[in-house]
Amino acid sequence: MKAKPNGLGREYGDQFADEGVASVYHARPEIPEGVFDTLVELAPADNLSLLDLGCGTGEVAVPMSERLESVDAVDPSAAMLEFARKRIEEIGRVQNLRLIRSYAEDFSSERKCGLIVAANSIHWTDWTVMFANLPLMLDSCGYLVVVESGDFVGPWHEEFSALLPQFSTNKDFEPYCVFEELRARRLWQVSGEKRFLRKGVRKSVDAFLDIIHSRNGFSRQRMGESLLVFDDEVRAILDKYVVEGELVGETSARVVWGRPFVMASFDRD
């Protein structure tokens, strides 16, 4: 199989194990309710179970545990799972949600899930292994659902984005679209997609910085002496766009669902 785009190796995905990344992950824009509604609609009526691969701090797993019969949430980061446990405590004891520490491609389950979801995570997995395993864990009537969300953009975006390569600790990173990468490798057959856009979202500059430091390549504890310089330069850009003490921008989410190809998973050329 063709190699993944540069900058998506496990060594970079492991940055999400940093306590500093996990502690600010909540600053990311909330996943739209429409995403959860879509997942409920896609779940087979006779198999209301969900496997969340790369669950992070539970952004999908916790809300869906209140909508489906069972949820298994898998993530390799102990720090992320600890914050997921705190999220669970906030809503009370959840009997039907299991948190499991494991890399997604190392996880296996004899139970066939109605839905397998990867939200902002499937790009970090070993696709050769992951897509060989997925058909073994997915109900014959179920879907693999890939969710991409989390950006907060506005008129500052072009100037701000030009600053990122200079400071990112992920020097191997190259731009990509995960949906196109999966399609190009014939890893799944897409059945449908939905997009969600929310305008007029307001965030403080501090919250914006937390969002950035929850991303790969910008872990505060890895940036060293460049951290303060980066934050100062970002603030200098954003200050031009502050309205009544806040930034005003928009957030979006894209949900794509389909079936993994069984045979394509074994195409190792």
Side-chain angles (χ1 to χ4, degrees), residues 39-60:
L39 293 177
V40 171
E41 292 169 4
L42 293 173
D46 61 349
N47 190 348
L48 298 178
S49 62
L50 182 147
L51 172 60
D52 184 359
L53 296 175
C55 67
T57 60
E59 288 74 20
V60 170

Side-chain angles (χ1 to χ4, degrees), residues 49-51 53 70 72 74 98 100 102 104-113 116 130 133-139:
S49 62
L50 182 147
L51 172 60
L53 296 175
S70 66
D72 283 348
V74 177
R98 290 197 308 163
I100 303 163
S102 172
E105 55 267 52
D106 295 339
F107 178 76
S108 63
S109 174
E110 295 182 358
R111 181 177 63 175
K112 298 271 189 175
C113 296
I116 297 179
M130 188 76 266
N133 291 339
L134 287 175
L136 305 177
M137 299 187 290
L138 183 61
D139 189 289

